[in-house]
Structures are given as structure tokens and as C-alpha cells.
Amino acid sequence: MLLQLYDTDLYLRSKLKKVLNMRKLVSFFAGLMMLVSFAEAQQISGVVKDQQGKGLEKTTISLLRAKDSSVVKLVVTGDNGKFSINAPQPGRYLLNASYVGYLSSYSLVFDVSGTGSIEVPELTITKATGNLREVTVTAQKPIIEVKADKTILNVEGTINSVGYDALELLRRAPAVMVDKDDNISLAGKNGVQIFIDGKPSPLSGADLANYLKSLQSAQIEAIEIITNPSAKYEAAGNAGIINIKLKKNKTFGTNGSANLGYVQGVYPKYNGGINLNHRNKNINLFGTYNYNNAQSLMLINSERKQFDTLFDQKNRIVSINSSHSYKAGIDYFIDKKSTLGAMVNGNIVDVDINTGGPMYFTYMPTGQLNRILQATNRNERSQKNINANLNYRYAVSSGKELNIDADYGKFKISSDQYQPNFYFQPNGITEISRAIYSMIAPTDIDLVSIKSDYEQNFKGGRLGIGGKVGIVNTDNDFQRYDVFTNRKVMDTLKSNRFGYKENINALYVNYNKQLKKGIMFQFGIRAENTNITGTSTGFRQAGNVLVPFDSTFKRKYTDLFPSAAITFNKNPMKQWTLSYSRRIDRPAYQDLNPFEFKLNEYTFMKGNTQLRPQYTNSVDITNIYKYRLTTKLTFSHVNDIFAQIPDTIDKTKGFLIKKNLATQNVAALSISYPFQYKWYSFFAALNSNYSHYKADFGGGDRIVDQKVFSVTYFMQNSIDFGKGWKGELTGLYISPSVWQGFFRTNAMGSVDVGLQKVLLKGKANVRMAVSDIFQTMKWSGTSDFAGVSSFFNGQGEMPQFKLNFSYRFGNSQVKASRQRKSAIEDEKKRAEGGGQQGGTGQQ
């Protein structure tokens, strides 16, 4: 929706010139027609003012379709900046206000139902500075947009996002929780499906966390949080979908941008990137490259009481992350109906993690320290990923649209760990024993998918059908070695190879329609057929002989996932939406491998072949009042919820295993409100949820019955100081909560402050920010299960100073203007003769 102010305004005004000059000749007939239309048609009205609050006469108002920004109607404001438009066919629209010498302003998206009047919130436009021919008009988006079907975190529009990676951005996103092990939950529920540019990521656990840490905020346009997706989306993700949209330039001409960033915490961090784009009426070529180098510190302390021993461990974790990411693609516009596209993207990540610190063993009956373990772990990880996509789009003015996507992805992940363990007497000097291990674990993941989506107008609404076939193959080879002075020997009993194949076939149908009585409905159903094969191979002890074992398991199941939504928009100032969906979360391949992995001398982890998928039924009730105050109430019931459960081995050793809890019930309430007055804007979001986890694993201390009420509060204050200076103050508070069904956490939060200066006539800007200025983003918690009582706490680097410089280059004003004029002509013709497009705003 970027318009070049000067050329576009002249164009629009020239088209209206004849009408304005003929006003006196046709005033009587125009007046009569207006009276008739006012009596029969729904009206869209509002007012345009400047920064001083004065109404602007003769401002051009464009009514645009929300779906594609096509122009539907044009009017100019009258006295005191007021305007009124006869509403078109029902659907979703927005307004653009433009005036020579001023920057354009856009309204929020609103629904036209066909009945009742619509009063759009006041539009404010500000004077442009510098040469008008060099002004690029952009719609300034709020940091968070709350809609009926999703919440959008606009990363590129906020100062304080500078220097964060994707995982840290999620940690600060509304209703999102990231625990001490980098597990992601949403609105009190685990099982979140992460999408990148609308495509699901096959990664999970530590692999997913490392990938998200390699994505810098400079690469990200927005993060979409979708709690109740429609049938068009894959059913995976009990809590919903988080879609990370990477930047892609769609401007005509040849242009680009570059950015450099520096972050100083305990250790320095650097990042930079370049974005290039060339677009004309036939092709769109685009490419990006980003580099990140970061050294980070994490402090983690834990105490575990088990049987008669207290294990007190203090860890200092230093990680060095170096990553390269790239993307290149082409869109070829065959004709006005067809587009063929191809894209390649990927990343190369190298992570060196060094963990060190002592573990103290205390005999609790006497309180006497009896030995000390010095364990330093070095883990050199690398991750290489490449994805290829071919896509085809066919769309005609009658509303028919076909999209076909074919994708291939390959991940090569390697891990090389060296773990020496030295036991000392309580004096910390006299060595008792030692055990040194080396673990090498390469993992290959291949995925292939093809999907097709078709939509057309049907019975006054919009019908969509589609399907997808996806195959994922995973091969993990875990090799464990005992290390001696001058050699290492493979421990075949503690080595394992695990192969996993997952095939999911899906079909869906979705329909939405706007009724005349101010009701819009959408319903759909998705069928998914899942086929899984897992093979865990290695050796086991049989007397004095090692014999091979093969614990192969297979699963096949087919599920139906209905979804529905109904919106009452007869009075757009008080809009209600009721939605429902059923979702699934399948176990990650690592959680199904029955092999027992040794994390350290006293902690083990193993998978569970009996782990079942977890299913969620969710109902949302959403109210949007005067396009500003948004309230959402969600009820969810989860069957067979996953939980990582600590258990015991040989009284003094513990292991972690994922099991299905019986149920989880969640009630969540979110309230958000944006406010703007001249140079000051404010946004506040309150997210709360009540969760009840319940399960019985054998009675006694093996019963889980956790009830928790938690609150997350986010606020942002923005101040426009003028002359290119802007300031930002953001705050985040997270109340006590529960992680993974077992760990009760304490409250934490942060306050960030930032400043931005626009330079070089709007082509460059410098952003400075300080995160967590009060050093309060520290996590801590407790758990008590099966005779194991634990306490833990930790923190990252705080505070951090961040600096970023970005620059846009390329001059495409003339080309953009000509292309835009041609596009507007086509869009106006379609608007005059086109039918209802329908839609509920869901993707």
C-alpha cells in the first residue's frame, strides 16, 4: 500500500477535476441523487485533520479493498475535513487520506455489512518535509495489531526490537511464553506450530530454538499469532500457529536496503544485512543476505533433593553463535491472470556452547558435603538448511483463484560434545575419580511437500478447497565414546541410531459468506491422514554377549478437524466474533526414541514410544469496540497433554521423559487498547489464563494436580519529538505460572527504552535502545514429583545496549508512479464491474 505522494495525488486529483468543475451545472441533480442514496445506502463517514486538529478541506479520500488495496471509490472532504461515502458491497475495506504536501494516512480495516452507518475514527495527516519528489509514503503500523482472527506483532515498526533474535521477540510477544529450556507455549498451552513465511518448520526442541536465535529482528517484518486457524491451515499446533513473516520488498523499480547492528551486553554482538529488489511489469527479482555473530552468557543454578542427597549445581553457559542466512527468488508475471515464482532460501549456523560449573553433593541427614563434581561440557553444533519452492498463481476478476506450491527442504545438523567429569573430595583439591565422554550426533532431515488451494465465489460467499501431501524423513545417529588418555572407545551399549518417517495427507473445504443482516460466517473441515514409522537400532546386553536390537514402531491414524466462526457486524462499532477449532500436536521425533541419553552423570533423558498426540478443542469469543478496544475470551480443553516428567533411577539419579497427562483445561482472557493523541501514542495488552493440569501416574507423590492463574501485561509508549526524533518506552510483566505442567515459576519482567532519529530525508535511520534496564528478566521456579524436589533459577545478559543503522537506496519514484497509475486504472475497472469477494480476514 505504498503510494508515491506527489505523483499519485496529482493523478487522483486530475481524475476528479472534471467532476469538481461541473459541480455548479449538476448541483440540483447531484443533490437529489445524494438524498436518495443517503436514504437507501449504508454510509461511511469521518473527518480528516492536521496535526493541530484543524479539519482539512479538499483532501482526497480513497476507499480501498482490504484484500488487495484496490481502489473502490474516490471522494474529497468538504468543510472542516468531513466526508461521507456510500458503502459498496459487503466486505472488508480501509480508507486512505492524501493531500499535497502531507504524508498519507490510513484507517484501520473495517467491515461493511450493508446495514447501519459506519463512523471511521479520526484520520490525522502530517506535513511532509524536504523535496516532495523524494518522499516515500509509508503507513506507520502500531507495534501490535489485534484482530478477530489473529494478533500481529509488527517488528519493523518498533525501536526496541533492535538487536533481538526471533526467540527473544517471541519471549516478549503477547500471550507467548518461552521457558528455561526454550519450549514455546501460547495462552497457557504448549504445542505451538512455528511457521516461516507461511510454511511449517520441521524443527523442534533445541534445533528449533537455535534456528530462531539465528533470525535477527532486522530480517523480520511481523509475527502473526493465530490461536484459532481456519481449515486452510494445517491442523498441527494445539495452541495455534505463530507465523514469522520475513521482509520482502514489493516496490517497483530497482531498490534495496542495508543495515548494521551492534549489541553490548557482557559480550559484544554484531549483525548486518542487505536486501535487493528489482520489479517491473513482467518480473520481480529479490534477494537478501544477513550475518550475525553473537557471544552470549547464561547463568543457571539448580538444587535437587532426591532420597537423602542434595544436588546443588551452578552453571555458567557461554555460547558463540555465527550465522549466515540468505534468500533469492523471482516472480514472473506471465499475464494479468498468471504468476510463476521460484525461491531458494536457507541458513548456515555454527554454535559453540561451553558449560562449566561445580555440582555439590550434600548428605541431608547431617548436612555434610561429601564430594564435588567439576563437569565442563563443550558442544560444537552446526546446522545447514536449504529450501526450494516453486509456486504458481492463477487469478481472474470473476473471483476464481488457484495457488500451487511445491517445496523441498534439507537440514544437516551435527553435534560434537566433549564432557569431562572430575570428582573431588570436599576440599576441592583431592581427585576421587574421573569419567570423560565424547558424543557425536549427526542428524539429517529431508522434507518434500506439494499443496494446492482453490477459491471461487459461490452462492454469494467464498468457497475454498485444497489439499496437501507432506513427507518428512529424519535420520539421527548418536555415537557415544569413552575417552582415555590417548584414545577413545565407542560404547556400543550407549550408542543409538534412530530413523523416523512421517507422511501426512490432507484435504480441506472452507466457506465464508456475508449475510445481509450484518452476520458473517465461516466454517470448514480438514481431514488429515498420518502415517509414522520409527526405527531405533543399537545393541543390548544378553548375558556376556552384545546382541543387536530393533525397536521399530508404526502408527496410522486419520482425524477430522472442524473449524467455524461467526461475526456479528451489523453495528461495526460493536463487532462480535465467535470461533471454534479442533487441533492436534504430534510428538517430535526425539520424544519417541526409546533410547536413554545421558545429559550428565546424574541426569538422563529418554523418549517414549507410547507417547500419543495431544488434541485441543478451543472456543474464542472476541469483541472489537470502536475499532480500538479488543477483548477476547478463550476456553480450551486439551486431551493427553505432553509434559516432561522428572523421575528417578537408582535413588540418586534422575531422568526426564515426556508422558501424556490426562487433561488440561485453560480459560484465557486478553484485552488490548491503542490510544493516540497528536505526538503521543500508547498501546496496552493484558493477557491472562487459568490452567488446570490433572493426571495420576500411580498415586501418592505421582499425582499431578496443578492449578494456576497467570497474567502477562505489555505496554508501549511512543513519543514523536519532531524533526525526525522518536522515543519509545516498553514494559513487560509476567506473573507466576506453570511450565510443562510441573514447574511452578515466579514473576519476571522487563523495561526497555529506545530512541530513533531519521536521517537523509527519510532514507536512513539510527535506532538506539537499552533492554531490561532494571535487570528483572530473571526466571526461577520449583517442582515436586515422585520424590524429587527441585529449585532452579537463571538469567541472561542484562541490561544490553543496542545500536542499529539502516539505509534505503534506489530511486523508483517515476517507475512506481507509472506502474501504480496503470494498476489503479485496472483496479477501478474491476471495482466498477466486479462482484463480491467475500472473506473473513482469515488466511
Side-chain angles (χ1 to χ4, degrees):
M1 296 193 314
L2 295 176
L3 303 178
Q4 308 307 314
L5 175 62
Y6 183 75
D7 289 332
T8 302
D9 191 78
L10 287 179
Y11 164 75
L12 295 176
R13 290 171 64 83
S14 66
K15 289 296 181 182
L16 291 170
K17 187 175 181 180
K18 293 182 179 180
V19 175
L20 294 176
N21 290 337
M22 295 175 63
R23 184 180 293 172
K24 292 182 179 180
L25 297 177
V26 298
S27 59
F28 173 77
F29 296 100
L32 181 61
M33 293 176 64
M34 286 180 64
L35 287 173
V36 174
S37 64
F38 267 76
E40 297 181 351
Q42 185 181 15
Q43 296 294 307
I44 303 170
S45 59
V47 62
V48 180
K49 295 183 178 180
D50 60 17
Q51 283 182 297
Q52 284 71 44
K54 181 182 177 181
L56 283 176
E57 186 181 0
K58 297 183 180 179
T59 300
T60 301
I61 303 296
S62 306
L63 178 65
L64 312 174
R65 280 199 179 93
K67 183 177 181 180
D68 56 9
S69 297
S70 59
V71 178
V72 179
K73 292 187 178 182
L74 302 170
V75 298
V76 293
T77 58
D79 295 340
N80 300 320
K82 294 181 180 179
F83 64 89
S84 182
I85 305 174
N86 291 337
Q89 294 182 359
R92 292 173 66 82
Y93 299 88
L94 75 160
L95 295 174
N96 166 252
S98 62
Y99 191 85
V100 174
Y102 286 76
L103 299 179
S104 289
S105 176
Y106 290 84
S107 73
L108 297 174
V109 175
F110 55 86
D111 291 295
V112 171
S113 62
T115 58
S117 62
I118 298 174
E119 185 176 350
V120 178
E122 177 182 303
L123 294 171
T124 302
I125 58 178
T126 58
K127 282 191 174 182
T129 58
N131 189 338
L132 284 178
R133 295 185 180 274
E134 297 179 356
V135 171
T136 299
V137 181
T138 59
Q140 182 64 41
K141 297 180 181 179
I143 183 174
I144 295 177
E145 294 180 85
V146 181
K147 300 184 178 181
D149 59 329
K150 63 182 141 184
T151 299
I152 303 173
L153 177 63
N154 290 306
V155 176
E156 66 176 343
T158 175
I159 302 170
N160 287 334
S161 67
V162 169
Y164 282 130
D165 58 46
L167 192 65
E168 285 299 316
L169 289 172
L170 289 178
R171 198 185 300 274
R172 288 159 172 79
V176 178
M177 178 74 72
V178 181
D179 69 14
K180 65 182 181 65
D181 298 317
D182 295 334
N183 297 303
I184 302 170
S185 60
L186 177 60
K189 297 175 288 183
N190 61 12
V192 180
Q193 179 66 54
I194 301 296
F195 278 56
I196 308 296
D197 279 338
K199 303 181 188 302
S201 170
L203 302 178
S204 61
D207 295 331
L208 176 61
N210 286 328
Y211 174 73
L212 294 177
K213 290 176 183 177
S214 73
L215 293 178
Q216 296 302 300
S217 61
Q219 301 172 246
I220 300 172
E221 176 185 333
I223 296 175
E224 298 178 333
I225 302 169
I226 310 169
T227 53
N228 261 356
S230 69
K232 185 175 181 178
Y233 286 99
E234 297 182 26
N238 266 1
I241 290 170
I242 295 178
N243 181 34
I244 299 175
K245 295 177 64 177
L246 303 181
K247 293 180 180 178
K248 181 180 178 181
N249 194 332
K250 298 180 181 180
T251 305
F252 282 91
T254 301
N255 46 71
S257 63
N259 68 87
L260 292 172
Y262 173 79
V263 178
Q264 181 63 59
V266 176
Y267 301 106
K269 304 161 183 62
Y270 314 90
N271 61 78
I274 188 169
N275 179 358
L276 297 173
N277 183 78
H278 174 77
R279 182 179 178 126
N280 59 34
K281 64 180 181 180
N282 295 319
I283 63 168
N284 179 39
L285 292 168
F286 56 91
T288 63
Y289 169 77
N290 289 274
Y291 173 73
N292 176 57
N293 187 289
Q295 184 172 357
S296 305
L297 172 67
M298 177 74 74
L299 301 176
I300 300 179
N301 305 312
S302 66
E303 291 182 1
R304 186 174 83 245
K305 296 179 181 179
Q306 188 171 330
F307 192 51
D308 58 2
T309 303
L310 169 65
F311 303 85
D312 183 4
Q313 186 170 16
K314 302 184 184 302
N315 279 333
R316 177 184 172 91
I317 304 173
V318 177
S319 61
I320 301 174
N321 184 315
S322 175
S323 64
H324 306 260
S325 62
Y326 57 89
K327 177 168 66 174
I330 180 172
D331 296 318
Y332 174 59
F333 308 108
I334 301 172
D335 52 36
K336 292 183 178 181
K337 300 177 182 179
S338 303
T339 304
L340 182 65
M343 183 179 68
V344 176
N345 65 66
N347 66 349
I348 302 171
V349 183
D350 293 302
V351 184
D352 189 357
I353 305 173
N354 292 277
T355 304
M359 177 184 284
Y360 301 95
F361 300 79
T362 302
Y363 183 61
M364 289 192 296
T366 63
Q368 182 177 357
L369 178 68
N370 56 30
R371 66 188 184 279
I372 300 172
L373 168 62
Q374 288 285 356
T376 56
N377 179 286
R378 188 200 71 221
N379 186 358
E380 295 180 353
R381 296 177 61 92
S382 71
Q383 178 175 301
K384 298 178 181 178
N385 159 235
I386 185 169
N387 305 292
N389 167 264
L390 287 174
N391 60 83
Y392 174 75
R393 179 176 183 266
Y394 176 82
V396 293
S397 58
S398 62
K400 295 181 180 180
E401 182 175 330
L402 173 67
N403 289 277
I404 300 175
D405 281 88
D407 291 275
Y408 171 76
K410 186 173 186 63
F411 292 79
K412 291 187 70 68
I413 305 168
S414 66
S415 173
D416 186 352
Q417 291 190 64
Y418 177 73
Q419 184 173 312
N421 302 279
F422 298 94
Y423 293 88
F424 295 90
Q425 294 284 4
N427 60 19
I429 300 174
T430 306
E431 183 180 328
I432 301 173
S433 62
R434 66 175 60 185
I436 304 175
Y437 309 109
S438 174
M439 290 154 282
I440 299 174
T443 301
D444 291 337
I445 303 175
D446 292 275
L447 61 155
V448 179
S449 70
I450 184 169
K451 73 168 185 173
S452 177
D453 302 290
Y454 174 77
E455 291 184 2
Q456 72 168 48
N457 297 331
F458 180 75
K459 299 291 185 181
R462 191 76 172 162
L463 175 67
I465 58 175
K468 179 178 179 180
V469 176
I471 299 173
V472 180
N473 285 302
T474 303
D475 182 20
N476 175 263
D477 187 7
F478 181 81
Q479 305 165 30
R480 157 78 181 271
Y481 295 86
D482 295 319
V483 180
F484 301 99
T485 304
N486 56 4
R487 62 191 177 97
K488 63 179 183 180
V489 178
M490 186 173 182
D491 188 339
T492 53
L493 288 176
K494 296 177 181 177
S495 299
N496 168 263
R497 186 159 191 166
F498 184 61
Y500 180 78
K501 180 178 181 179
E502 179 182 82
N503 165 230
I504 300 176
N505 308 298
L507 293 171
Y508 78 87
V509 60
N510 197 67
Y511 182 73
N512 60 70
K513 182 177 181 180
Q514 173 73 52
L515 303 179
K516 292 183 179 180
K517 296 182 179 180
I519 298 175
M520 180 181 289
F521 70 88
Q522 172 267 323
F523 67 87
I525 190 164
R526 187 180 184 92
E528 291 193 351
N529 167 252
T530 305
N531 304 277
I532 293 174
T533 301
T535 304
S536 182
T537 58
F539 291 87
R540 60 183 176 84
Q541 190 86 38
N544 296 324
V545 181
L546 295 179
V547 296
F549 74 88
D550 182 345
S551 58
T552 299
F553 62 90
K554 294 184 178 182
R555 289 189 191 165
K556 295 182 179 181
Y557 51 90
T558 301
D559 293 295
L560 295 178
F561 301 96
S563 64
I566 183 169
T567 298
F568 302 91
N569 54 13
K570 184 175 182 179
N571 181 359
M573 304 298 284
K574 298 178 182 178
Q575 180 174 295
W576 289 88
T577 299
L578 175 67
S579 63
Y580 163 80
S581 71
R582 182 176 189 255
R583 313 219 19 106
I584 186 175
D585 196 29
R586 301 175 180 88
Y589 75 91
Q590 302 100 320
D591 298 329
L592 294 170
N593 188 359
F595 183 72
E596 188 176 283
F597 295 92
K598 190 172 188 176
L599 301 181
N600 57 46
E601 284 289 273
Y602 288 85
T603 307
F604 299 78
M605 181 178 70
K606 65 178 181 180
N608 178 8
T609 59
Q610 302 304 312
L611 195 63
R612 302 181 300 276
Q614 59 182 21
Y615 296 88
T616 298
N617 290 276
S618 293
V619 175
D620 286 355
I621 302 173
T622 305
N623 174 255
I624 301 178
Y625 181 69
K626 291 188 175 180
Y627 303 102
R628 291 182 178 272
L629 178 63
T630 303
T631 306
K632 177 181 286 187
L633 183 62
T634 302
F635 300 94
S636 301
H637 177 76
V638 188
N639 287 320
D640 293 331
I641 182 176
F642 301 150
Q644 187 166 272
I645 298 173
D647 218 326
T648 57
I649 305 174
D650 300 331
K651 294 184 178 180
T652 60
K653 297 182 179 181
F655 72 89
L656 302 173
I657 185 172
K658 279 196 175 179
K659 292 186 178 181
N660 295 104
L661 291 182
T663 60
Q664 179 194 16
N665 293 306
V666 181
L669 175 66
S670 64
I671 302 172
S672 66
Y673 183 78
F675 171 80
Q676 183 168 356
Y677 180 73
K678 295 184 179 180
W679 45 264
Y680 173 73
S681 64
F682 172 79
F683 179 86
L686 179 71
N687 297 276
S688 61
N689 67 79
Y690 170 82
S691 298
H692 185 193
Y693 303 83
K694 190 173 183 180
D696 186 346
F697 293 106
D701 59 4
R702 303 177 68 84
I703 293 178
V704 178
D705 193 356
Q706 293 265 31
K707 298 178 181 179
V708 63
F709 175 77
S710 62
V711 174
T712 302
Y713 175 72
F714 174 86
M715 68 89 183
Q716 176 194 350
N717 298 271
S718 299
I719 300 175
D720 188 342
F721 298 108
K723 296 184 178 180
W725 287 95
K726 287 185 179 181
E728 192 172 278
L729 177 69
T730 58
L732 174 69
Y733 170 77
I734 303 172
S735 75
S737 182
V738 171
W739 290 347
Q740 299 293 305
F742 280 87
F743 300 100
R744 283 190 167 270
T745 66
N746 299 317
M748 59 182 175
S750 67
V751 174
D752 299 352
V753 62
L755 189 65
Q756 174 180 283
K757 170 62 176 173
V758 178
L759 305 170
L760 303 177
K761 299 179 180 180
K763 290 187 176 182
N765 69 65
V766 176
R767 296 178 180 179
M768 297 159 284
V770 179
S771 64
D772 199 7
I773 57 178
F774 298 115
Q775 303 183 38
T776 51
M777 200 66 174
K778 303 176 182 179
W779 47 264
S780 61
T782 60
S783 69
D784 193 353
F785 178 78
V788 180
S789 177
S790 301
F791 167 79
F792 56 89
N793 65 60
Q795 67 180 70
E797 297 179 69
M798 57 182 73
Q800 293 187 36
F801 171 76
K802 304 171 182 180
L803 181 65
N804 180 270
F805 173 79
S806 62
Y807 177 72
R808 292 183 294 107
F809 54 88
N811 189 334
S812 60
Q813 277 73 25
V814 175
K815 292 181 181 179
S817 175
R818 290 174 180 170
Q819 295 291 344
R820 185 59 181 166
K821 286 179 181 179
S822 176
I824 289 176
E825 286 292 343
D826 293 339
E827 289 163 353
K828 286 175 67 179
K829 290 178 182 177
R830 288 200 300 269
E832 292 168 358
Q836 176 183 339
Q837 296 300 307
T840 64
Q842 297 194 18
Q843 293 188 13

